[in-house]
Each structure stands twice: as structure tokens, then as C-alpha cells.
Amino acid sequence: MGRLMVCLLFLLAGHVPALAQQGIRYAVRLLADKVTYQVSLSSTVTLTGAEQITNSGQVTIVGLAGRLNITNVQSVNGQWSNNTTVRAPSQSPGYDYFIFGLTPNTPQIPYSSTQETVLFTFQSSGACPGAVEIWTSTDPFRPNPPVQTINVGNDLTALGFRNGSTLYNAWLGNYNAGQANCETPSTVTLRVKALLQGALAGTSDGLMRDDLRTNGVLPLTTPYSSTVSTRFNQTGGGGNETAPATVTTVTGADAVVDWVLVELRNPANTSAVVATRSALVQRDGDVVSPADGTSPLSFTGLSGSSFYVSIKHRNHLGVMTASPQTLSATISSVDFTTLAAANVWSTTANGYDYNGYEMVSVGGKNALWAGDANHDGKVVYTGLTTDLNTIFTEVLTAPGNTVNQLYNYNSAVGYYYGDVNMNGKVSYQAVGNDSQTIFTNLLTNYLLNSAKLYNFTFFVEQIPN
């Protein structure tokens, strides 16, 4: 009866992160010998005695298709074995999946909040397999009965992780992503092109407006950091970028419109950002280095040369390539303005298939959706997370409006998150207001909102979390 109960709890866990606060995270790293991979866990809480008895465990290793060949598995804590291997599934043909299970002999595995626990090690036969990662909940290859019934995913149940008498899946996610790549660190040079819908409003020549520059409100320091939003975390040499004042004197098609954030993501884990660069986008969509306002972006010290490329903006929804891009020291290019929908990453969630709705078409070119004033990765018109709150607050607190606090104040010139139409000022209800941009996008332009709902909350950025 006890074994049956454990099995039922295992199935109910569903291989998704636990909602409970206490739990564990998995990591895989390549050791110094460059051939051995070590899988470990980190616990949010220290368990003792019988609490350490572990009823079930599963870790799914993800490698590039045809390159990772697991051998010499050595258990350290608990008895682990590679129970199932799935090569290039149709949901994710670029990757192979190796599902490791814990032998059900309920071992007492150490769980410490101050020290990680090594679970097992393995090696790969043949040449360097490239990036190796642990499965994430955003992976396209996941349980989806009855279409996909393979028990892929991660889980762990132990007596110390329970709600009352009920055990739960204690897997919360992963940590230390990008630490298991045997390829030599590389340098890549990347030229990106993207358009911002807000800055295209009222234009007909395919060039964005540069009102932030002409109004003298464009900052010379990047607006992107984790203090603004976790979506703007910087890593891999990115962060604190600045630009010389001379970049704001350039006019014409190469005039600067605003700052953007470019990310390189792990080819085996779309949620793992390995490097970022804050950059400047010009009127024609060229994304350039802020150091001189003309050069392409450079990334150094990378493991490998194949990465997903994503681009974000402070009040527009970002996008990402559908597959890893092979980059090199010579200039590689990603032009989001012309990418077909099949080449842009999207998911099916909330009952919606987002393929083809990742960007908006303006004048025959793709542009990032305007309207994410609170930079939470969604465009929302009404409700608790409405972007209008940001616009409203910035208008009421704008210099010159702090006494009367008029909601239709139309002189709030500056660099504001609520300025989604990018005309150099934030406006809540005055002529040409930013609220109208969000309203029109939600009710007219975003065709997934077919019922024309004001409170539609599924207008979501198509980049993995």
C-alpha cells in the first residue's frame, strides 16, 4: 500500500516545478577533466533524519542531437541510471533527451541549504558534444497525453518535502546554467536588425521616428538592469553600457531611436541567457554598439558558437529566433524585420497558438509590439496588471504636473516607460495619448483577441522565461 501511495504521488506531481516554497534545484557542470559531467542538487532547506528519505527522483539531460552519447554513469548519492533515451523527438528535433531515474530503494540523500549535493556523474563517448543542460519546464518536448506520453521532465519527492501528509514534487527549477559546455570559448560578432512599432507610428518611409533624440531625452546610459525588471538581467559581459554624446548628433536613417537589449541564449536551454548587450537601434532598424553608434555587437568568452538570439525593449514585447543561430568572429546577421513566422520562437499556451503573432506587420516589415509599459512581458489594457497604470502614474508625477495632477496633462516630456508611441512624452488622455496605442493594439491589431475583449490578458511576449 505504501509503495502504491508513493507511485500515485509521483504521477500527480506531473514533472512540473512545485508551488511550495521549499524544494530543490538541479545543475549539471563539466568538471576540470573536460570529459566528466556532474549532476547535483541544491536545496532551499536542510533536512535531517527520516526527512532525507527520497521516494522518487528524475533528471532529464538535454544535448544537441546526435552529439551526446552517455557512458560511465557513476552514482554518488542514491542509485541513478539512464532509463530512457529519446533522440530528436518531433517536438524538438534539434536535441536528444536522456532521462535518469532514481532506483526506488528510498535512500537518504543529504539535503542542505548551504552545500550542494552531488547525485551522479557521467561521460560522453566520442567528440565534444557541445552544450549539455538539464530539461526546463519551457522545453517544447514535454508530457502531453495522449500525443506525447514519454515521462520526460524532472522531479523529486522526499519525506521532508510535503504539505501535511502529502508529498509533492520538490523540483523548483535549475541553477548554474551554461556550465556544461566542452567547446572552446569563442568570440562572435553579431549584426541585428529590428523595428519598434511605437516609433513607426505616423511614418510611411519605413524609418522609425527619433523623437527621443530630437527632444533631447535619450539617455547615454543603458536603461536595462535587473533593478528595472528581472526580464532585463544582464550577464556575460553585458550591463552598464554607455554611449558618447556624439551618437545623438547623427541624423538621417542612422539616427538613434532608443536602447534595446540583445540576448544570446543557450542552444540546449532556451531559458538560459549566457550573454547580453545593451545596444542602440537606429531609424532603419540597425542595432549597433553604443560605444561608437556604428559597429556591430561583439560577444567574447562564449562557450560554443551556436545560440538563440533574442531582442527586448523597455516598453515593447521582445522576440527570439526559433532555432540556435551559428555565429562567428566574422559578422553574422539576424534580421527580425524579415524573419518568417516559422523562424521566430513561439509557444502554445493559455489555449492560444502564438505562431505568427510574435510581431506586428507594419509596412510589410515585422516590428515589435508596442504597449508593455510596465515591462512584465504582457500588454494589458484593463485589470490588475494593466499597463495604463504606469502611464497614469508617470503623467501625475511628471515635473510641472505635481500640483494640479491633471490626468490629461500633455507636457510630460522625458524618457518614460509609458511613452509606448515613443514621441518623447508620456500621455494618459491628451491628444495622441499612449493609452490609445495599447487600446488599438489589443482591440484591433492583435488578432488572437478575436472576441475583442478589453480585459484580454494573453497578449504575451514570445520569449521563454
Side-chain angles (χ1 to χ4, degrees), residues 249-320:
T249 63
V250 178
T251 60
D254 289 337
V256 173
V257 175
D258 200 3
W259 290 84
V260 292
L261 181 65
V262 176
E263 300 174 331
L264 300 185
R265 294 183 172 230
N266 193 307
N269 180 0
T270 55
S271 295
V273 179
V274 299
T276 60
R277 291 293 183 273
S278 293
L280 300 173
V281 60
Q282 300 174 339
R283 292 185 65 202
D284 59 4
D286 289 339
V287 175
V288 296
S289 168
D292 58 10
T294 59
S295 300
L297 306 182
S298 179
F299 298 82
T300 59
L302 300 172
S303 295
S305 59
S306 180
F307 305 94
Y308 289 91
V309 178
S310 57
I311 187 168
K312 294 177 177 178
H313 183 260
R314 59 194 178 90
N315 57 27
H316 286 58
L317 299 182
V319 289
M320 186 179 81

Side-chain angles (χ1 to χ4, degrees), residues 52-249:
Q52 296 178 330
I53 294 178
T54 304
N55 300 86
S56 66
Q58 180 169 296
V59 180
T60 299
I61 300 295
V62 184
L64 298 173
R67 297 181 62 178
L68 181 62
N69 299 288
I70 288 180
T71 61
N72 195 23
V73 177
Q74 300 290 324
S75 295
V76 179
N77 282 289
Q79 293 298 314
W80 297 84
S81 57
N82 182 196
N83 295 333
T84 305
T85 298
V86 183
R87 299 277 187 184
S90 59
Q91 299 92 334
S92 183
Y95 302 95
D96 293 337
Y97 295 78
F98 304 83
I99 304 171
F100 284 79
L102 178 66
T103 301
N105 60 357
T106 60
Q108 288 182 260
I109 292 177
Y111 297 93
S112 171
S113 61
T114 60
Q115 184 175 355
E116 72 175 6
T117 298
V118 179
L119 299 177
F120 60 91
T121 64
F122 64 88
Q123 295 179 341
S124 178
S125 61
C128 166
V132 175
E133 289 291 348
I134 293 178
W135 184 92
T136 68
S137 57
T138 60
D139 196 293
F141 183 50
R142 66 187 73 182
N144 183 28
V147 179
Q148 203 292 96
T149 58
I150 296 174
N151 196 28
V152 66
N154 305 321
D155 71 65
L156 185 137
T157 59
L159 294 188
F161 298 117
R162 61 182 183 269
N163 291 321
S165 60
T166 303
L167 302 184
Y168 59 81
N169 178 10
W171 177 65
L172 301 173
N174 306 322
Y175 67 103
N176 283 355
Q179 302 300 307
N181 194 329
C182 53
E183 293 180 327
T184 303
S186 60
T187 297
V188 302
T189 303
L190 178 62
R191 190 180 299 280
V192 178
K193 192 165 188 172
L195 295 171
L196 305 173
Q197 181 196 21
L200 286 169
T203 68
S204 59
D205 57 2
L207 298 178
M208 293 182 284
R209 291 178 287 102
D210 57 340
D211 296 345
L212 299 179
R213 185 192 68 83
T214 58
N215 284 331
V217 298
L218 182 71
L220 296 178
T221 301
T222 175
Y224 302 107
S225 71
S226 58
T227 59
V228 175
S229 170
T230 56
R231 291 177 54 246
F232 301 148
N233 287 341
Q234 297 264 27
T235 189
N240 301 312
E241 291 91 344
T242 61
T246 52
V247 302
T248 64
T249 63

Side-chain angles (χ1 to χ4, degrees), residues 195-203 208-209 316 360-362 366-371 420-422 437 440-441 445 459:
L195 295 171
L196 305 173
Q197 181 196 21
L200 286 169
T203 68
M208 293 182 284
R209 291 178 287 102
H316 286 58
V360 60
S361 179
V362 180
N366 301 326
L368 306 190
W369 286 104
V420 296
N421 64 16
M422 302 188 65
T437 298
T440 301
N441 268 347
N445 297 330
F459 194 162

